[in-house]
């Protein structure tokens, strides 16, 4: 049994439902302290965060991830208990196996092997962990980044261990993510009896032409790395519950998943211009949960791509698809951020699993990435 598999099993056995860590960081921290890391625990509310660093010079390569997991769902529908790590037919089963305790285990064993072979390496290595990624993400990585910013501590490179592979570990790395901008639009009308249309103003009818225009608008064309920006309605709420009453308001919740080809300010301004053109009376509350970020081809992408090719023989693909990750916070203090982890086919599902062999492949890829950035490039 490999060190990576053993550590992954230890972590999976901790029932660390978001936002709780349940001792995962203690397990990892004890191993890192033995090889010269200085540990800094930052607890915010119920959330545990860990910043661990070895070295004080640049460049700084950080591995980032989360110890919290989503609920298991119906336990009786799992083939084995979700928090009892089980190896079956070459697969490791358990909640968090792929998202992302397998990656955390691979981080640690990769760092241990690298330090063993390069005790006097150039630059620094860091590990940033949080127990608030699967939840509201208000007191996790963002708080660590704020603390680092306050004292002027920056990263040069960051690898986030999110599960990125589609068919084989190493086939895809995320070199950026779209931003997420949400709005809650309340269009105002005049409530009244449905049989007296001349005495009412139906806000649903009033909003419909503006909705049609918003849905058909081309916000941008995307670019080499990103698809065009998308505007989508997620919920519409209107009506009093009675079939003979025209409502006084309608509430529309929508979201932009936007690329670096647009900005928050440009999207907001264009939405308001469309609403105003249609003469609507409205309130609009905006919420930005993440700005887009992009790491083009360069030192980090090249170092990780080379490591993947060496370990797996795969020519990896760059992708910016999918939802957001904590990379959106780290990008504020790190110019080069990417995500690399195991297959994402079973994440958040019943019987979540990761291939045992992939755990060692990941560890080797992370270790070679360290060598490419801190030894060969030095």
């Amino acid at each position: 049994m490999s060190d990576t598999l053993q550590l992954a099993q230890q972590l999976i056995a901790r029932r660390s439902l978001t936002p709780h860590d349940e001792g995962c960081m203690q397990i990892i921290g004890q191993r890192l302290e033995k090889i010269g890391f200085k540990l800094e625990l930052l607890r915010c509310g119920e959330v545990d965060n860990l910043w661990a660093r070895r070295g004080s010079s640049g460049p700084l390569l950080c591995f980032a991830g989360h110890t919290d997991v989503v609920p298991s769902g119906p336990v009786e529908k799992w083939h084995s208990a979700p928090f009892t790590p089980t190896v079956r037919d070459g697969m490791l089963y358990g909640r968090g196996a792929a998202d992302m305790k397998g990656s955390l285990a691979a981080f640690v064993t990769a760092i241990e092997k690298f330090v063993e072979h390069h005790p006097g390496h150039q630059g620094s290595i860091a590990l940033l962990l949080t127990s608030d990624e699967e939840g509201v993400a208000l007191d996790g990585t963002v708080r660590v980044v704020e603390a680092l910013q306050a004292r002027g501590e920056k990263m040069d490179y960051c690898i986030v261990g999110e599960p990125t592979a589609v068919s084989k570990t190493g086939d895809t790395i995320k070199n950026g993510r779209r931003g997420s901008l949400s709005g809650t639009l309340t269009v105002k009308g005049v409530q009244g009896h449905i049989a007296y249309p001349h005495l009412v103003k139906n806000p649903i009818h009033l909003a419909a032409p503006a909705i049609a225009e918003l849905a058909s608008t081309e916000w941008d064309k995307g670019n080499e790395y990103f698809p065009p920006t998308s505007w989508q309605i997620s919920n519409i709420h209107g009506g009093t519950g009675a079939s003979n009453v025209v409502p006084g308001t309608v509430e529309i919740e929508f979201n932009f998943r936007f690329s670096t080809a647009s900005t928050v300010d440009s999207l907001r301004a264009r939405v308001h211009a469309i609403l105003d053109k249609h003469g609507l009376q409205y309130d609009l509350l905006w919420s930005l949960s993440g700005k887009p970020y992009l790491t083009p081809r360069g030192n980090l992408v090249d170092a990780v791509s080379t490591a993947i090719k060496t370990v797996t023989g795969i020519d990896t693909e760059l992708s910016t698809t999918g939802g957001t990750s904590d990379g959106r916070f780290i990008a504020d203090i790190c110019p080069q951020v990417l995500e690399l982890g195991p297959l994402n086919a079973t994440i958040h599902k019943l019987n979540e699993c990761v291939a045992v062999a992939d755990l060692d492949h990941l560890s080797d890829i992370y270790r070679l990435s360290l060598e490419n950035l801190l030894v060969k490039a030095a």
Side-chain angles (χ1 to χ4, degrees), residues 320-336:
T320 60
T321 59
T324 59
S325 78
D326 276 0
R328 69 191 188 274
F329 304 125
I330 297 168
D332 285 341
I333 59 170
C334 184
Q336 299 186 52

Side-chain angles (χ1 to χ4, degrees), residues 176-182 226-230 255-264 267 287-294 320 322-325 328:
R177 292 282 192 168
R178 293 174 295 174
S180 178
L181 175 65
S182 297
F226 287 99
T229 291
S230 168
N255 178 266
F256 281 105
R257 291 303 166 103
F258 65 105
S259 73
T260 51
S262 289
T263 67
V264 174
L267 295 174
S287 175
L288 176 66
S289 58
K291 296 179 292 185
Y293 71 90
L294 175 67
T320 60
T324 59
S325 78
R328 69 191 188 274

Side-chain angles (χ1 to χ4, degrees), residues 131-193:
S131 65
D132 184 34
E133 196 275 344
E134 297 290 8
V136 294
L138 294 176
D139 290 319
T141 299
V142 64
R143 298 299 180 208
V144 180
V145 168
E146 289 172 352
L148 296 176
Q149 277 181 314
R151 64 192 190 208
E153 194 168 356
K154 297 182 179 180
M155 311 173 195
D156 295 283
Y157 313 110
C158 183
I159 299 174
V160 184
E162 291 292 346
T164 57
V166 178
S167 300
K168 296 180 179 180
T169 290
D171 64 7
T172 306
I173 58 178
K174 303 287 186 181
N175 67 319
R177 292 282 192 168
R178 293 174 295 174
S180 178
L181 175 65
S182 297
T184 300
L185 170 66
T186 303
V187 177
K188 302 174 183 180
V190 176
Q191 180 177 319
H193 198 295

Side-chain angles (χ1 to χ4, degrees), residues 253-286:
E253 297 177 5
F254 63 83
N255 178 266
F256 281 105
R257 291 303 166 103
F258 65 105
S259 73
T260 51
S262 289
T263 67
V264 174
D265 289 341
S266 71
L267 295 174
R268 286 176 173 172
R270 292 179 68 186
V271 169
H272 281 286
I274 291 171
L275 297 175
D276 293 341
K277 185 179 76 171
H278 287 275
L280 299 179
Q281 288 186 307
Y282 66 90
D283 293 324
L284 179 50
L285 299 176
W286 292 98

Side-chain angles (χ1 to χ4, degrees), residues 38 43 133:
K38 294 182 179 179
R43 185 168 175 84
E133 196 275 344

